[in-house]
Amino acid sequence: GAARSFDLLNARAKEGIPALIAAFKSEKDPDARASLAWALRAMDRDAKDAVPALIAAAKGDESVTVRANAALAVKAIDPAAAKAAGIE
């Protein structure tokens, strides 16, 4: 039923996390990077491997939107890492 469909969709989304991280690291377009950061945020703790790249973006991306979305993503994925990095 619906619960099984949701579980399958969630599993498929988790499989895509490495591709999202790679795209976030290599994408040049700031709107796309902002969207990718938002997508990683939605993956919550499953996107823990993205935290170093997200912290770097939160602290130094030229786009204010990317910085904001990356900061929100880090806080959602790993609050302790966000605090340690000075992201409040």
Side-chain angles (χ1 to χ4, degrees):
R4 170 79 177 122
S5 295
F6 181 77
D7 288 344
L8 185 59
L9 180 62
N10 194 31
R12 294 265 164 100
K14 288 177 185 178
E15 290 172 6
I17 291 171
L20 285 174
I21 295 169
F24 180 77
K25 289 178 177 178
S26 65
E27 180 59 54
K28 302 294 182 223
D29 179 65
D31 291 334
R33 282 196 317 277
S35 294
L36 288 161
W38 195 257
L40 288 163
R41 177 180 181 253
M43 298 292 112
D44 203 48
R45 298 195 195 299
D46 292 318
K48 198 165 183 100
D49 289 344
V51 168
L54 289 165
I55 288 172
K59 292 184 152 205
D61 199 277
E62 72 250 9
S63 164
V64 68
T65 306
V66 173
R67 289 194 308 268
N69 284 4
L72 289 170
V74 174
K75 289 193 288 189
I77 296 165
D78 190 342
K83 187 171 185 174
I87 298 169
E88 298 294 331

